[in-house]
Structures are given as C-alpha cells and as structure tokens.
Amino acid sequence: MLTKNQFNAARSMALTYFEKAGIALTDEEKESIEVADFGLSELENTGLELITYVNTGRCCAKELILFPHQTCPEHRHPPIEGEPGKEETFRCRWGEVYLYVEGEPVKEPKAIAPKGREEAYTVWNEVILKPGQQYTLYPNTKHWFQGGIDGAVISEFSTKSRDEADIFTDKDIQRIPEVGE
Amino acid sequence: MLTKNQFNAARSMALTYFEKAGIALTDEEKESIEVADFGLSELENTGLELITYVNTGRCCAKELILFPHQTCPEHRHPPIEGEPGKEETFRCRWGEVYLYVEGEPVKEPKAIAPKGREEAYTVWNEVILKPGQQYTLYPNTKHWFQGGIDGAVISEFSTKSRDEADIFTDKDIQRIPEVGE
C-alpha cells in the first residue's frame, strides 16, 4: 500500500515529466494523475504514473510516466466480453523505454527486472523506444516495460481499457491500488 | 488539386508546428505528413495537415495541424461495415481550436466559414479547445473545426479511420487529395 505522502510525491514528480515532455494538462487532470504501485509497495522499482484522457466502450488514450528504471510489470490483456483483448500502441514522447514482448529471447537486455521478482519477468523481443518511436502490441501478448536512465513519457492508444481484467505474471500483484492515510 | 510546390510548402510549415508543440517525429514520419486540400485548391482556407500514428481494424491515433484560421470542413462519419461509425476525441496540444458540433445554434461564433462556402457550414455547439482541453465526438455527428489565430496542433484518438467513407456537407469536396507535378 502507498502512503498518502508517497502518493503525493509521485504525483508531483509525474507533473515534472509532463512539463519536460511539453504536454499540457488541465488543472482537473493534474489532480487526477493515477499512481499505481501494483500492490507491491516498491513504487520506485515497480510502478506507473498515468492519466487517462478517454476510455469509452470502443477506444482509449492515456499518457504513461515511468521514473528512471521504474518497471510496469509483465502482464497480458486477455479476451473479454466477446472481444479479443486490449490492443495497444505505445509511442515514446520523451526519454527512453525498454519494452519486452513475447517472442525470441534476448541475451543482454538493457533493462533489469526488479530485484527479488526476476521469476515474473521474461527477457524476450527487446524493443527500445526513443521519442517519436512506437510499437503496436496485439491482444493477449505478454509484455513489460521499463523507463530508461531519465525515465519516460509514453502515449498509449488502445481499445477499451479494463485494468481489472489484466493478468500479471507476478501473483503478488494487485492492479487497483490502495492508498493509505 | 495541390501543386507539388504547395504540397511541399504545407508539409514544411506543418513541421514547424510539430516543433512548436514539442512533438517528436521520426524521419520517416516527417516524410509522410499528409496534406489534405479536400479537392478545393484553397488550402489556406480549407485544409488539414496530419500524420497517422496507427490505424488498425480497432483503433486509430493521429496528430492534426491546422494553420491559422484553416478549416477542416463539415462532415460526419456514418455507420459502416456493421459498426456505428467513427468515434473520435480531439485533444488540443498547442494553439487553439474552434470546434462546431451538431446541436444548439450559436449567435456569435469565433470562427467564420470559408468565404463562398458558407452554405456548407452550420454554426452550432461551439467548443473552444486550448492546450490540454479535449472533446469526444460520437459517431455520425456532423462537425467542423477551425484553427485559432496561431493555428493548432490536435491529437485525435479514435476508432478505425476510413477517410473515404466520410460524408461532407460541401458537395465539391473530395477527401482523398490529388497532388500535381
């Protein structure tokens, strides 16, 4: 669980990334930045800061922030409600992202899985995204990603987002965060 | 029809807008910026510059540029192939946009329809978008939009884009552009 202080610090830090990337947010949006620690209470290692611009029954757009070497853990988006699962395109806007996608193994990856949790990560198909570069991930494909040395700002364009349906490899993970007092 | 010179000038100008908005493009993307004059040969008045980041069977993301007072003409996205028509969210990234959406009439609009073509425009529901502000447009709803005094950069998040299926109010319009020698 995140403490209220940790949550506020992460939100303030995320704002500095939006500024560095030149992305304008409304005041309401600044107050609604989501901080996900995935229930692990190790936000610096495993976490994600994000804002959802739109999420209808048909499509979704978000802005994702990764702090330096912060990891969004391995997961997939399974078929749901008669649909083939979430399809998503990650477009790097600022910084650098190391993305790993189900496929061929990689020998010397740029990213290192969070310490003590290595079993929940597979190092395969390494995709390095710099500003202006993007990658489209098809449904139900396992993936994880990590911010580079300066962190990253990433636009996500996708079909409907249902975070509660995501399946994580690490069984300790709980996607919907709890924030303490 | 656009001449090759007009096309190149518009593409170069569009690049300066991406720079002003702090949006990174790859070299390939810079070479694939689309310039649409809608077949009217009055690009300064009626036109749009854009890049499509992704357009799959399920979702689409684009970046749109409007030069100062340049208008994307009134149109709608009808139901197609058993789907309810394109749904789109416009998010202003830079500059200002005047968006008109089927609804209640407006008496003193900020935008003026392109001269000689006023009959093809209806001034209703005025939505003014500044950086960080956005609007979601549901399928088959007539709309048009114009860049403000400095122009605009707009992210569009949507379901599948099928430009050739769009229905324009102005019967002279031809969505898929021709470029001369």
Side-chain angles (χ1 to χ4, degrees), chain B residues 115-126:
Chain B
K115 212 174 167 187
R117 306 203 160 268
E118 294 84 350
E119 282 181 18
Y121 292 84
T122 316
V123 180
W124 45 29
N125 261 2
E126 183 177 65

Side-chain angles (χ1 to χ4, degrees), chain A residues 21-26 29 52-54 56-61 63 83-87 89 91-93 131-134 136 138-139 155-160, chain B residues 21-26 29 52-54 56-61 63 83-87 89 91-93 131-134 136 138-139 155-160:
Chain A
I23 293 174
L25 299 181
T26 63
E29 286 173 336
T52 301
Y53 290 147
V54 59
T56 72
R58 301 174 73 198
C59 58
C60 177
E63 220 82 73
E83 290 178 27
K86 188 181 175 208
E87 170 198 304
T89 296
R91 183 175 177 90
C92 180
R93 298 291 197 167
Q133 297 180 322
Q134 63 180 46
T136 298
Y138 289 92
S155 292
E156 180 188 293
F157 315 123
S158 76
T159 56
K160 182 177 179 179
Chain B
I23 294 174
L25 299 180
T26 64
E29 287 174 336
T52 301
Y53 289 148
V54 58
T56 72
R58 299 175 74 197
C59 57
C60 177
E63 221 81 73
E83 290 178 28
K86 189 182 176 207
E87 171 199 303
T89 295
R91 183 175 177 91
C92 180
R93 299 291 197 166
Q133 298 180 321
Q134 64 179 45
T136 298
Y138 288 92
S155 290
E156 181 187 293
F157 315 124
S158 76
T159 57
K160 182 177 180 179

Side-chain angles (χ1 to χ4, degrees), chain B residues 74 90 97-111 121-129 135-138 141-146:
Chain B
E74 188 177 298
F90 296 119
V97 192
Y98 311 134
L99 170 65
Y100 299 89
V101 181
E102 216 167 331
E104 293 299 311
V106 168
K107 279 209 175 136
E108 292 183 13
K110 300 269 275 181
Y121 292 84
T122 316
V123 180
W124 45 29
N125 261 2
E126 183 177 65
V127 181
I128 298 173
L129 299 177
Y135 187 88
T136 298
L137 199 82
Y138 288 92
T141 308
K142 281 188 192 169
H143 60 287
W144 61 284
F145 47 103
Q146 188 173 100

Side-chain angles (χ1 to χ4, degrees), chain B residues 37-78:
Chain B
D37 80 338
F38 300 94
L40 300 181
S41 306
E42 299 169 354
L43 186 68
E44 277 184 35
N45 300 322
T46 306
L48 188 66
E49 295 68 40
L50 66 150
I51 187 153
T52 301
Y53 289 148
V54 58
N55 187 24
T56 72
R58 299 175 74 197
C59 57
C60 177
K62 300 180 179 180
E63 221 81 73
L64 314 178
I65 307 285
L66 288 169
F67 299 149
H69 300 298
Q70 195 182 36
T71 298
C72 178
E74 188 177 298
H75 66 286
R76 62 187 171 88
H77 307 288

